[in-house]
Amino acid sequence: MAKSKRKEKSVELANQILENYQPKTVEDMQNALKDIFGPMFEAMLKGEMDNHLGYESNDKNEKETDNRRNGYGKKILKTSAGEVDVKVPRDRDGSFDPQLIPKRKKDVSAIENKVISMYARGMSQRDISSTIEEIYGFSVSHEMISDITDHVLPELEEWQTRPLSNCYAFVFVDCMFTTIRNQYESKKYAVYTILGYTMEGKKEILGLWLNETESKHKWMQIFDEIKARGVEDIFFLSMDGVSGLEEGARAIFPQVIVQRCIVHLIRNSIKYVPSKDYKAFTQALRKVYSAPSLKACQNSFESFKQQWTAYPGAIDVWERNFEHVEQLFDYGSAIRKIMYTTNAVESIHSSFRKVTKKGAFPNENALLKVLYLRIKELETKWEGGRIQNWAMVRNQLLLHEELKDRVLRYLE
């Protein structure tokens, strides 16, 4: 069926529902859908029976066959809109085995879970509707898909306001941008994500926030919010170079150790380096931030500056931020390996982009729904796992004099 025809039929059906039922509330609409589901299932079951017998009801060939229709049996189905009474056609020899609603099956609400699963994987409403039609033989309107996926909104709101752990050993913050249609224009929105590592070495996404821009004021609001949700202390915060973010974080969590992402510094510095020298330049840099000790790091940096004097812009990026490189060597190698980059949260954003690449979202809720469903998939993947080498990380945290008392407080 052509897209325009399907759309016309969907609009026609919607108008008929509104005209006949005149729903005033969501509950009224659910009751209307229940009334529609019954006849819809019955019509599809009759079609299956026609196919099973080889002729339609009241066909003249009916008398020429041994097996014929034999009335109806009653069945109560559980659907996403509630329980629905359905008449299931029977045949005389009992060989009819319906595929839409198999014998002894009473719960057909699984289609709702399938719609949510497809939505979580970034499928557009058009693709979901086409897939359902291909599998089940009937179309699902964009409005119905939206209604089904809206069922996760209360769960999303509860997740966004849930109490958090009182301490996170490591926190990673980052923004990504996606598009939301605002009436007749499309705008880029910043998606703020915070990933935390608990004292037990578990990954946890603390929340999602949307804003039209990335700013230190929004980050401060977010830090204030997570503190209100129970976070008392953060040991390390890894971030990119957003101006004012470091001061904003310390205003809420005074003892936090803020670490500039080394990978971001590399990206910023190679903007001043011709592509032919990328490989040699980054290899020289690696000797600096991966040095075995602070002294070796400082010596490597001096050699690095002498080697690459032809690119003063690149050198300047590192000179202005070298304190963040030196800071790494205040801690053991297991801690350094975690805190030096925001790659952990950027990996989450990479996963988000797979389900947001379909285009602009009609509103904030539509975007948050798909991101939240993606998070649920990630949390299932992380369940039962722990950050690699976490036992060594905890030992190195306890060996650090400035952190020891704070670590013991939250390990008890």
Side-chain angles (χ1 to χ4, degrees):
M1 186 185 293
K3 295 178 183 178
S4 59
K5 290 288 186 183
R6 286 203 301 264
K7 184 174 182 181
E8 287 174 11
K9 287 185 175 295
S10 297
V11 172
E12 182 182 345
L13 177 59
N15 289 335
Q16 288 175 1
I17 294 172
L18 293 173
E19 182 180 344
N20 294 331
Y21 289 88
Q22 297 183 356
K24 304 295 183 185
T25 64
V26 173
E27 186 177 356
D28 291 342
M29 181 58 76
Q30 291 281 18
N31 290 331
L33 289 174
K34 284 170 63 176
D35 287 352
I36 293 166
F37 280 170
M40 182 179 72
F41 284 127
E42 288 173 0
M44 294 172 72
L45 288 166
K46 286 179 182 178
E48 283 198 61
M49 178 62 85
D50 290 345
N51 181 262
H52 174 65
L53 296 176
Y55 56 85
E56 297 180 2
S57 180
N58 300 320
D59 191 299
K60 64 180 181 180
N61 294 323
E62 182 173 1
K63 295 180 180 179
E64 300 176 7
T65 61
D66 293 331
N67 191 23
R68 288 184 279 175
R69 290 170 177 78
N70 188 29
Y72 297 89
K74 290 186 177 180
K75 200 170 192 176
I76 299 176
L77 294 178
K78 180 182 177 183
T79 75
S80 59
E83 292 187 343
V84 175
D85 292 327
V86 175
K87 292 191 298 181
V88 181
R90 297 180 301 203
D91 60 343
R92 287 196 172 183
D93 65 11
S95 60
F96 177 51
D97 187 14
Q99 300 301 304
L100 175 67
I101 308 171
K103 291 178 179 179
R104 294 174 292 280
K105 182 172 182 177
K106 296 182 178 180
D107 189 344
V108 295
S109 60
I111 190 171
E112 179 176 310
N113 294 330
K114 286 181 173 61
V115 169
I116 289 176
S117 179
M118 286 186 280
Y119 194 82
R121 284 164 174 76
M123 289 180 67
S124 68
Q125 291 182 335
R126 181 182 292 105
D127 290 340
I128 293 172
S129 181
S130 298
T131 302
I132 293 295
E133 185 169 10
E134 184 178 331
I135 295 173
Y136 296 99
F138 60 89
S139 62
V140 178
S141 70
H142 292 187
E143 291 77 12
M144 184 177 289
I145 293 169
S146 182
D147 288 342
I148 290 172
T149 55
D150 276 352
H151 289 179
V152 306
L153 287 176
E155 186 181 332
L156 167 62
E157 184 176 353
E158 183 179 344
W159 178 82
Q160 285 279 56
T161 57
R162 75 195 188 282
L164 298 172
S165 298
N166 54 10
C167 178
Y168 291 90
F170 299 88
V171 161
F172 308 87
V173 300
D174 194 29
C175 267
M176 64 169 272
F177 288 86
T178 190
T179 307
I180 294 178
R181 288 193 303 273
N182 191 350
Q183 293 182 340
Y184 298 106
E185 63 176 337
S186 295
K187 283 188 175 182
K188 289 286 186 181
Y189 270 68
V191 179
Y192 292 70
T193 308
I194 297 185
L195 171 69
Y197 288 1
T198 68
M199 294 299 291
E200 293 73 36
K202 305 287 185 180
K203 289 183 180 180
E204 182 182 346
I205 297 176
L206 279 57
L208 291 171
W209 297 265
L210 300 182
N211 198 44
E212 290 191 14
T213 59
E214 182 181 11
S215 70
K216 66 175 182 180
H217 302 293
K218 182 62 178 179
W219 276 119
M220 280 191 68
Q221 292 172 9
I222 291 170
F223 290 134
D224 203 34
E225 179 187 319
I226 66 172
K227 185 174 184 178
R229 288 167 57 196
V231 181
E232 299 172 2
D233 200 356
I234 295 171
F235 296 163
F236 299 96
L237 173 70
S238 293
M239 51 161 274
D240 61 14
V242 176
S243 177
L245 197 158
E246 184 173 345
E247 293 78 7
R250 287 205 176 101
I252 309 299
F253 298 101
Q255 291 183 288
V256 68
I257 298 157
V258 179
Q259 175 64 45
R260 282 288 306 275
C261 174
I262 300 300
V263 175
H264 276 83
L265 292 177
I266 294 172
R267 292 174 189 162
N268 291 340
S269 61
I270 61 174
K271 294 175 184 177
Y272 302 94
V273 178
S275 56
K276 66 182 179 66
D277 286 334
Y278 279 2
K279 186 175 181 180
F281 182 85
T282 54
Q283 285 177 343
L285 267 178
R286 187 173 182 82
K287 293 179 182 178
V288 177
Y289 61 83
S290 297
S293 66
L294 176 59
K295 185 65 176 174
C297 166
Q298 292 168 336
N299 290 338
S300 295
F301 187 52
E302 290 303 318
S303 299
F304 170 80
K305 287 191 292 182
Q306 293 173 14
Q307 181 183 357
W308 297 101
T309 53
Y311 308 129
I315 299 295
D316 181 61
V317 169
W318 290 95
E319 286 184 326
R320 285 187 286 108
N321 293 281
F322 195 62
E323 62 184 281
H324 288 283
V325 181
E326 292 178 308
Q327 176 179 254
L328 289 170
F329 295 92
D330 291 341
Y331 309 97
S333 59
I335 294 176
R336 292 203 302 269
K337 188 174 181 180
I338 293 176
M339 67 184 281
Y340 89 101
T341 178
T342 58
N343 277 356
V345 69
E346 289 187 51
S347 175
I348 292 169
H349 282 169
S350 177
S351 179
F352 285 173
R353 288 186 182 95
K354 291 178 182 178
V355 296
T356 57
K357 63 183 179 183
K358 61 185 179 183
F361 288 81
N363 51 56
E364 291 187 12
N365 276 346
L367 172 59
L368 286 171
K369 281 188 297 185
V370 75
L371 294 180
Y372 172 64
L373 290 169
R374 192 61 166 176
I375 286 171
K376 289 186 70 175
E377 290 188 345
L378 290 173
E379 288 177 340
T380 300
K381 182 181 176 181
W382 297 338
E383 203 169 272
R386 201 164 70 162
I387 306 303
Q388 188 177 14
N389 207 24
W390 189 251
M392 184 59 70
V393 172
R394 284 184 28 160
N395 279 313
Q396 291 184 2
L397 289 171
L398 284 168
L399 287 172
H400 199 279
E401 202 61 39
E402 292 180 11
L403 290 171
K404 183 177 179 180
D405 290 342
R406 292 162 65 192
V407 174
L408 289 173
R409 185 188 316 153
Y410 294 108
L411 283 179
E412 293 173 355

